[in-house]
């Protein structure tokens, strides 16, 4: 009877009809689902129901709907759909997978205390050092076929430094371990192992079973390795402390004399949570600068106005670089790094007269917010000026800030958002000071023109532009000198014979990312 009364007497939100048993399974594209979701909302309204086998999916395609449920009813919409692989591999001990409860609240508090808005400025020097190291690496790798790897290394450095106080050496394996972990966690979050949730008996198959066996082995490998990696970060925190550096990990573990599963995972979680996203935002920036030379010139002019090309930018310059800040906001809007964010309905609810049934998977279509013409007219265009007020010198405060959508919602909102914001700002300001970013020469540009539409590819749960063919050239001999002489406590890896530029000031060549031989792309 309860089905007939109360919330259950309401209808599910409208959506395209499916077929028996599999529902809408075949209609949902495997690539860029968020575009398809957005398109169906034009016909059925901003909240839609889809069925896939025995799962009910409710897709939220507007900021209003996402805000009403994920933010305003955060207590009710903070559970993630359960994923067996997260339990099996121990990822359940990291924030993106932890169930709500005291352990999760404790971990969030640690993040807030250590990298929250009020305190994240204490790492300003680390962002600057990391940017300088990144510039040196780019300078030495102008011909690198693998820009993502170069970016990963640089970002890995800063995370490890902030999380453990330890300065990684080029021979350390910890950065690779953390990078691999970031990719594995992103795959679990993107439901690449969902088959074990849909068909539980598969969990007991022997490991020699084709396709399924390697997945089981991968989970088992991480069960051991995650623990070992977390222990390693605690050890590094002690080394960092011995070298005179405080760190997040030291403060929350050894400093408090309490190393437990919740806290020792934080260093690993910082990388897993932040690495792919920050890499994505760096690649998008490079592509946007290459495609929009006038915007790049304006941003460079703003930085030059402060530094006169005689010094590198610092975090203290930020208040006087509003256009660079506008570029950062536009990067975060233009390519949604996490286009779809999922939750599970923990009880029946009603939204705008429609039933949201307990157990349904809710999908917040973040990309739909970024393409909402009411909020962002001409949404496909990269227009940093949309973030500035009429004077062009101040960020608008009447526009939905990327902090309110690009970094997620409710209790799970990205705890690394202030760190990401600071690090990306520092990277962008440095790139603008030192390099000209351009599209490659004519022959390769023809290929780009043939495929003018920007494509986004999924790197597990984090997305990024599929191909970033750009060329970097030092802006001047003085810019090269600034970078060569910059002090970075992190040694830049030595260039190899293949990657070394013939001359730091010589002609730059394209730095293709996403090329078939690119290491970090091959696996995904
Ligand atoms: C441009 C950079 C970044 C973007 C766009 C981004 C975006 C996101 C998004 C969308 C989520 C999911 C939120 C939700 O479920 O509602 C998330 C979660 C998370 N992010 Fe970030 N992130 C970035 C950088 C970072 C950095 C630098 C760190 C670490 C220092 C970090 C750590 C985390 C963690 C630990 C979570 C899981 C939080 C939880 O579920 O409670 N992220 N991020």
């Amino acid at each position: 009877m309860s089905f007939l009364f109360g919330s259950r007497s309401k209808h599910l939100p409208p959506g395209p009809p499916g077929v028996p048993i599999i529902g809408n399974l075949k209609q949902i594209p495997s690539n860029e689902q968020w575009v398809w979701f957005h398109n169906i909302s034009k016909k059925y309204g901003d909240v839609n129901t889809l069925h896939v086998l025995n799962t009910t999916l409710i897709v939220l395609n507007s900021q209003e709907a996402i805000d009403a449920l994920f933010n305003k009813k955060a207590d009710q919409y903070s559970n993630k759909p359960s994923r067996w692989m997260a339990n099996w591999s121990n990822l359940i001990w990291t924030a993106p997978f932890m169930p709500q409860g005291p352990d999760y609240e404790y971990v969030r508090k640690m993040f807030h205390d250590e990298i929250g808005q009020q305190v994240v400025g204490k790492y300003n020097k680390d962002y600057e050092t990391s940017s300088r190291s990144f510039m040196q690496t780019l300078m030495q790798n102008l011909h690198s076929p693998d820009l993502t790897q170069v970016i990963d290394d640089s970002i890995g450095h800063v995370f490890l430094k902030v999380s453990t106080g330890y300065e990684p050496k080029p021979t350390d394996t910890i950065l690779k371990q953390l990078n691999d972990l970031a990719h594995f966690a992103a795959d679990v979050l993107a439901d690449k192992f969902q088959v074990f949730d849909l068909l539980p008996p598969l969990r007991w198959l022997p490991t020699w079973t084709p396709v399924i066996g390697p997945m089981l082995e991968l989970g088992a490998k991480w069960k051991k390795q995650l623990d070992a990696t977390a222990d390693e970060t605690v050890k590094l925190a002690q080394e960092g402390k011995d070298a005179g550096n405080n760190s997040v990990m030291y403060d929350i573990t050894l400093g408090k004399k309490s190393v437990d599963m919740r806290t020792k995972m934080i260093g690993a979680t910082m990388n897993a949570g932040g690495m792919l996203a920050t890499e994505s935002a760096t690649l998008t920036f490079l592509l946007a600068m290459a495609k929009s030379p006038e915007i790049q010139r304006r941003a460079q002019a703003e930085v030059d106005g402060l530094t006169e090309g005689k010094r590198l930018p610092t975090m203290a310059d930020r208040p006087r670089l509003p256009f660079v800040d506008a570029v950062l906001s536009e990067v975060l809007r233009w390519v949604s790094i996490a286009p779809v964010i999922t939750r599970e309905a923990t009880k029946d609810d009603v939204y705008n007269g429609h039933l949201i049934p307990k157990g349904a998977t809710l999908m917040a279509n973040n990309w739909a917010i970024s393409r909402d013409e009411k909020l962002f007219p001409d949404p496909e265009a990269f227009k940093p000026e949309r973030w500035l007020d009429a004077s062009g010198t101040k960020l608008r405060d009447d526009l939905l800030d990327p902090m309110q959508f690009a970094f997620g919602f409710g209790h799970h909102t990205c705890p690394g958002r202030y760190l990401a914001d600071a690090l990306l700002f520092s990277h962008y300001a440095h790139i603008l000071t030192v390099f000209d970013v351009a599209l490659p020469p004519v022959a390769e540009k023809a290929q780009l023109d043939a495929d003018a539409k920007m494509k986004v590819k999924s790197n597990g749960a984090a997305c990024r532009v599929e191909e970033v063919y750009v060329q970097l050239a030092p802006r001047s001999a003085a810019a090269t000198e600034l970078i060569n002489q910059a002090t970075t406590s992190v040694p830049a890896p030595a260039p190899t014979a293949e990657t070394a530029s013939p001359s730091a000031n010589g002609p730059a060549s394209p730095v293709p990312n996403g090329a078939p031989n690119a290491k970090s792309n091959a696996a995904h």
Side-chain angles (χ1 to χ4, degrees), residues 95-96 104 108 159 269-270 273-274 277 338 341 343 406-409 412 414-416:
Y104 178 73
R108 289 294 306 205
F159 284 147
T269 311
M270 279 179 66
I341 295 173
R343 301 281 192 268
F407 292 94
F409 309 97
H412 282 280
C414 175

Side-chain angles (χ1 to χ4, degrees), residues 275-421:
M275 182 166 252
L276 300 182
T278 319
E279 173 195 288
S280 170
T282 307
L283 293 172
T284 303
F285 167 77
L286 290 172
L287 180 68
M289 291 302 98
K291 283 188 150 192
S292 326
E294 337 70 57
I295 292 173
Q296 185 182 170
R297 297 286 98 83
R298 181 171 168 188
Q300 285 175 329
E302 188 180 67
V303 181
D304 292 350
L306 276 187
T307 63
E308 297 174 342
K310 292 183 186 149
R311 65 172 177 88
L312 293 168
T314 67
M315 292 305 289
D317 294 324
R318 188 166 189 177
R320 288 186 294 160
L321 297 173
F323 192 68
V324 179
D325 252 332
V327 167
L328 172 51
S329 295
E330 187 66 346
V331 162
L332 294 172
R333 182 201 69 83
W334 197 45
V335 174
S336 294
I337 293 173
V340 175
I341 295 173
T342 54
R343 301 281 192 268
E344 188 180 61
T346 50
K347 54 182 179 182
D348 281 358
D349 193 12
V350 174
Y351 176 70
N352 270 359
H354 291 294
L355 171 68
I356 309 286
K358 179 178 174 184
T361 296
L362 279 90
M363 305 173 92
N365 188 354
N366 223 350
W367 187 85
I369 298 181
S370 77
R371 293 305 183 269
D372 184 337
E373 305 220 6
K374 291 193 284 325
L375 291 168
F376 307 111
D378 194 8
E380 289 304 326
F382 186 84
K383 285 188 176 172
E385 60 275 17
R386 70 171 87 242
W387 299 95
L388 295 174
D389 69 4
S391 73
T393 56
K394 202 166 150 289
L395 287 174
R396 285 170 62 180
D397 49 21
D398 60 338
L399 196 55
L400 188 72
D401 190 318
M403 282 285 171
Q404 290 171 276
F405 64 99
F407 292 94
F409 309 97
H411 297 324
H412 282 280
T413 304
C414 175
R417 60 197 183 282
Y418 302 110
L419 193 157
D421 175 68

